[in-house]
Amino acid sequence: MGVGGISIWQLLIVLVIVLLLFGTKKLRNMGGDLGGAIKGFRSSMKEVKGGDSDSDSEDPETADQQAEASQDDLADVEATEDVKTEKV
């Protein structure tokens, strides 16, 4: 007997069925997403325990400059995608 009355062979059969249903790529993506969510949760908990809030102490002008820079980057990416599409 294994964990909770389930033997190792039954666990292996379930694992094979899950792999066949979802595929390794999708399972890898789901695992990465779950890991990122846990990492974000842990960092938020550390922030709450520490009492540090970077968003309150941040300069509003700096936030505006960062937002503009990210919009410029997005526009550059869209322009690059348009060029790639035209070449094909």
Side-chain angles (χ1 to χ4, degrees):
M1 280 284 167
V3 177
I6 299 175
S7 72
I8 189 73
W9 294 110
Q10 291 169 332
L11 289 173
L12 287 174
I13 291 171
V14 169
L15 178 64
V16 169
I17 292 171
V18 168
L19 283 173
L20 289 173
L21 287 175
F22 294 108
T24 56
K25 185 176 181 181
K26 188 167 185 169
L27 287 176
R28 189 178 316 129
N29 290 339
M30 288 179 3
D33 291 343
L34 180 62
I38 291 172
K39 186 176 181 180
F41 177 75
R42 285 183 180 170
S43 66
S44 297
M45 292 303 295
K46 285 181 183 177
E47 184 177 309
V48 168
K49 285 182 181 178
D52 295 333
S53 180
D54 293 338
S55 62
D56 292 340
S57 63
E58 187 175 328
D59 185 23
E61 291 181 15
T62 306
D64 290 340
Q65 290 172 352
Q66 289 176 351
E68 289 175 11
S70 62
Q71 288 175 351
D72 291 342
D73 291 341
L74 181 62
D76 291 342
V77 169
E78 289 175 353
T80 304
E81 289 176 354
D82 290 339
V83 170
K84 288 179 183 178
T85 305
E86 290 175 5
K87 287 183 180 179
V88 175

